[in-house]
Amino acid sequence: MTPGTASSAGFPSAGFFDELVRDVVRRPEEYERLGFADCRLVIEVVEPTGEVRRFGLVLDGYDIRSEGEIADLDGFHPEVVVSGALDTWSEMLAAIAEHGFADRSHTLNALSIAGFPLSARSDDPIGRDKFYRYAETLQTLFDSVGLRAPAEA
Amino acid sequence: MANLAADLDYRERASRGELDLGWLRRSRAEWGIRAEPSRIGLTLRDIAVGTYGEVPDHPPRRTMAPRGADIPDDVPDMGYTINDKSEVWSDNVMELYEEAVSRQWSATRDIPWGDLAPIDPDLEHAMCQLATVLSEVEMVAADFPAKWLWRINHDFVEAKMFLCTQAMDEARHTEVFRKRALANGGGLGRATAVVEEFLKVILDAQSYDEGSALMHLLGEGIVLSLFRAGEMIAPSDVEKRIFRLCMQDEARHVSYGTMHLRYRLQRDPSLAEDFHAYLDRGEALMAVLFTTPEVVEPATILAAGSLEAAAALGSAASDVLRIQTVEEYLQRCDRAGLDRRGRMHLPDDLIAGTSGVAPGGVEAGASSPGTTVAAASGGVA
Ligand SMILES: [Fe+2]
Ligand SMILES: [Fe+2]
């Protein structure tokens, strides 16, 4: 295990995703082994108030970049938007923190397979299919929350 | 035909140091190309420069010579039968090839086989039957491209290379499910004539068009959904990893199939009815597969967690998956330029609740990334 080194920001925030993608820098061999990827992805969080917050991630070769909070969704040109209520995302992250990785009912795939409680939506099924093509890379990224020290997770 | 007799005069001249150098002096190929690697290395897209990057719609020759090389007139004709680029090409084929090579995995090394533990015998039976069906169907997706590969003009080499990666992917899928069936105290289950009939239809397809539509678009789309479900209903983290890794590969194959059909139909829209007819037949067979206990019941039992729970659950779990699978298939058909809504060859109860029920029916599938909260949180996938 390689505990996180930077201070952890709460979810959802740009700081959380900045910290998330630092895992690629910490464990480059892990991501290089999975192979390169190419996708513009938005994580969408629907707050209990109905407010929608969106955070951009760019999978670019072996790198993953956090693009911060996205105000102009169309301007970001996402290929796929993974969306769900804050409760769902929080439950997923809590499960990862508890087990060290997503258990079978809390993977990105499992939560989105029925289109609920998460959905993977896209204008273009090729964009949506990238969510499947890079499933292991994305899950490894989110599972890295489980590698952090308890206070950070 | 080229003179295949050894040129003894040349041997004599060469032994005296009189080199021919015709290949050096009379080269017509584009000289001075220096392809620049991108950040991930030197990709096929990087070397698609100058005339080397021009893939002819109708190659003038049928040779194995590399596209862009100088080709003398006396090279033999290889007898390729697929000489129209649109028959095999897709705009994403170079990227998919690179991705396939980069994202290979090993069923021996990358699956934590040592973590398998004994599970309830009914669940082990279900997992082994599911593995049997998958090990049975996977190899056709290697056999089919292999059957057509040697007929494809070598000027479409990037498409041929992608199909080679697919054959490797499918070998690994066949391998990993065979290994799973034998690795935890179970064993292989039962094959079925229905499954074999479907595989035979793909293998016996009269054209690459027909087989690719049946396999890349229809069959592999459904297998992709099955892998997604497998990841969720896996009895342990071992199977979860198997299904997730297979899912990635399968989505590549489906992406090729979708974009290939799009490329094909854009260049010859008159083929649409032919493709509808292929899919009419394929869907009718799929309907039979969906009513085959050996195919359907293992996943239901794994989803429910036990035989008793599966009986209580009935088709509730598979209904969710059915709707998603049909919607994603319809969306891919749409993207390819083929509207299957209203003419799907599935029984009513299999398309109930989907947008396939009527022409231009309910848009239950892909919504715009820009959609609002209601759609975003309403389970649109
Ligand atoms: Fe496969
Ligand atoms: Fe496949």
Side-chain angles (χ1 to χ4, degrees), chain B residues 28-52:
Chain B
R28 293 187 304 278
E30 194 173 353
W31 185 251
I33 292 291
R34 184 171 284 118
E36 294 287 337
S38 50
R39 283 192 329 123
I40 52 174
L42 188 65
T43 66
L44 288 180
R45 185 63 70 188
D46 296 332
I47 64 164
V49 289
T51 56
Y52 297 110

Side-chain angles (χ1 to χ4, degrees), chain B residues 138 141 166 170 173 220 250 253:
Chain B
E138 289 296 324
Q166 177 171 12
E170 307 300 2
H173 297 177
E220 296 193 286
E250 216 57 43
H253 309 158

Side-chain angles (χ1 to χ4, degrees), chain B residues 9-249:
Chain B
D9 285 348
Y10 170 72
R11 265 181 64 83
E12 164 82 25
R13 290 195 305 277
S15 70
R16 295 197 303 270
E18 292 176 26
L19 303 182
D20 178 81
L21 298 183
W23 57 271
L24 182 70
R25 308 285 185 219
R26 294 187 292 278
S27 169
R28 293 187 304 278
E30 194 173 353
W31 185 251
I33 292 291
R34 184 171 284 118
E36 294 287 337
S38 50
R39 283 192 329 123
I40 52 174
L42 188 65
T43 66
L44 288 180
R45 185 63 70 188
D46 296 332
I47 64 164
V49 289
T51 56
Y52 297 110
E54 293 169 10
V55 183
D57 290 330
H58 304 283
R61 304 274 184 86
R62 298 187 292 192
T63 83
M64 286 188 181
R67 190 181 67 233
D70 282 344
I71 307 174
D73 292 333
D74 56 353
V75 294
D77 186 315
M78 295 298 177
Y80 298 134
T81 58
I82 295 184
N83 296 294
D84 179 341
K85 180 182 176 185
S86 73
E87 286 182 85
V88 291
W89 199 256
S90 74
D91 283 333
N92 57 356
V93 77
M94 292 188 200
E95 286 74 18
L96 290 173
Y97 170 78
E98 295 283 359
E99 184 176 310
V101 172
S102 175
R103 296 184 78 84
Q104 291 292 301
W105 50 278
S106 161
T108 302
R109 180 197 60 209
D110 295 325
I111 306 300
W113 295 110
D115 294 349
L116 275 176
I119 56 175
D120 176 271
D122 290 338
L123 293 182
E124 182 63 28
H125 259 296
M127 188 59 229
C128 286
Q129 178 60 34
L130 181 57
T132 302
V133 172
L134 290 171
S135 199
E136 183 176 19
V137 303
E138 289 296 324
M139 204 59 175
V140 79
D143 285 344
F144 169 77
K147 174 180 172 180
W148 290 91
L149 260 171
W150 68 267
R151 306 172 199 228
I152 300 172
N153 193 297
H154 195 79
D155 274 11
F156 313 139
V157 69
E158 292 91 343
K160 298 180 80 157
M161 289 158 64
F162 170 74
L163 292 174
C164 291
T165 67
Q166 177 171 12
M168 184 63 234
D169 291 345
E170 307 300 2
R172 187 172 53 249
H173 297 177
T174 304
E175 170 197 1
V176 79
F177 290 111
R178 185 172 181 83
K179 285 180 172 175
R180 173 57 190 87
L182 303 181
N184 204 33
L188 288 161
R190 187 193 288 182
T192 60
V194 173
V195 170
E196 294 287 322
E197 287 292 347
F198 183 70
L199 302 180
K200 190 168 165 52
V201 167
I202 292 173
L203 204 55
D204 289 352
Q206 294 301 300
S207 66
Y208 185 84
D209 277 349
E210 180 182 4
S212 175
L214 288 171
M215 191 186 78
H216 288 121
L217 193 63
L218 176 62
E220 296 193 286
I222 288 167
V223 169
L224 171 57
S225 295
L226 199 53
F227 287 165
R228 290 196 69 202
E231 196 251 20
M232 185 175 68
I233 64 178
S236 82
D237 293 333
V238 177
E239 296 87 1
K240 188 171 73 170
R241 187 162 173 83
I242 291 173
F243 282 115
R244 198 188 298 145
L245 288 169
C246 288
M247 181 208 310
Q248 297 192 133
D249 298 338

Side-chain angles (χ1 to χ4, degrees), chain B residues 303-367:
Chain B
S306 71
L307 268 182
E308 297 72 26
L313 191 64
S315 63
S318 61
D319 267 359
V320 175
L321 183 63
R322 172 183 61 77
I323 291 171
Q324 285 294 104
T325 303
V326 171
E327 287 304 336
E328 291 191 0
Y329 166 65
L330 288 169
Q331 289 159 18
R332 291 187 190 107
C333 288
D334 266 352
R335 183 70 165 92
L338 211 59
D339 185 1
R340 294 287 296 163
R341 292 186 173 84
R343 68 170 291 172
M344 288 189 76
H345 273 53
L346 289 177
D348 288 347
D349 67 317
L350 284 181
I351 51 173
T354 76
S355 60
V357 290
V362 194
E363 183 63 46
S367 56

Side-chain angles (χ1 to χ4, degrees), chain A residues 77-114:
Chain A
H77 301 296
E79 291 173 280
V80 59
V81 177
V82 185
S83 178
L86 175 60
D87 280 355
T88 301
W89 288 111
S90 299
E91 185 183 316
M92 181 191 88
L93 293 170
I96 291 172
E98 182 186 343
H99 302 288
F101 55 88
D103 60 303
R104 76 175 195 173
S105 47
H106 288 97
T107 63
L108 291 166
N109 173 65
L111 289 167
S112 63
I113 193 168

